[in-house]
Amino acid sequence: MKSLPAPVSAPANSKRLLALVVGGALLFSVLWYAAPKESAVVEPVGRSLAKGGSAPVAANRAVSFAARAAAKVGNDLFASHSWYVAPPPPPPPPPAAAVVPTAPPLPYTFLGSYVKSGDKPVYFLVRGDRVFDVRPGDTLENTYAVGNASRGQLQLTYLPLKQDQWMSVGSPQ
């Protein structure tokens, strides 16, 4: 059989124990002195904001991504979500240019003409089922004034706007 180690002497054992107790007391006093004096009660961020307190920046960071996502989603975890962002509305159209009024297209069709020797020529114009015989200087339906014919064109003036329009009357005479 082996012999057991000799027991440690009592004075060496008591010195170690005394060093451990003094060291522990010293460590405890340093921690006690360095600890904050006010009470540090840790509460969740939701409760401290509900009481009217302001959450520090670190507390805002402490709220996990899952908690923020759950707040956005609500109770429905399987609801469909989309990344679609509506495009901005189109810009308003540019202002319309001032529209200059113009005469309507001629409602008459040239049917023919007749020239009696020494007299003004007579032009036959058709509108719908009506035939008009006009001479230069006449007025058609209080809307058009008949002018002279030159180079195979008869001048008709739209009276409300005083705009001239030309109608082909065949070959020049």
Side-chain angles (χ1 to χ4, degrees):
M1 283 195 116
K2 289 188 179 183
S3 65
L4 293 174
V8 179
S9 65
N13 222 5
S14 64
K15 284 182 182 179
R16 256 190 220 164
L17 184 60
L18 181 62
L20 283 174
V21 169
V22 169
L26 184 61
L27 181 65
F28 181 73
S29 63
V30 167
L31 291 176
W32 182 266
Y33 180 74
K37 302 301 179 211
E38 60 208 41
S39 73
V41 177
V42 178
E43 292 185 16
V45 174
R47 288 186 187 172
S48 66
L49 291 178
K51 291 180 180 177
S54 63
V57 175
N60 283 339
R61 286 189 209 134
V63 176
S64 69
F65 174 74
R68 285 182 280 163
K72 288 181 183 176
V73 171
N75 294 333
D76 190 5
L77 295 176
F78 301 103
S80 64
H81 302 286
S82 173
W83 287 96
Y84 176 75
V85 176
V99 178
V100 178
T102 59
L106 285 172
Y108 304 104
T109 306
F110 177 72
L111 183 63
S113 64
Y114 174 73
V115 179
K116 191 173 181 182
S117 60
D119 211 4
K120 290 182 180 179
V122 177
Y123 299 98
F124 298 100
L125 305 178
V126 178
R127 180 178 182 182
D129 60 348
R130 294 186 61 190
V131 178
F132 299 95
D133 57 331
V134 295
R135 292 180 174 85
D138 289 351
T139 303
L140 278 169
E141 300 179 310
N142 293 326
T143 307
Y144 288 93
V146 180
N148 292 326
S150 64
R151 298 184 188 160
Q153 300 285 321
L154 177 63
Q155 177 187 6
L156 295 172
T157 304
Y158 184 66
L159 294 176
L161 297 176
K162 300 200 183 338
Q163 288 184 349
D164 290 338
Q165 294 177 307
W166 298 89
M167 173 184 287
S168 177
V169 290
S171 62
Q173 297 182 9

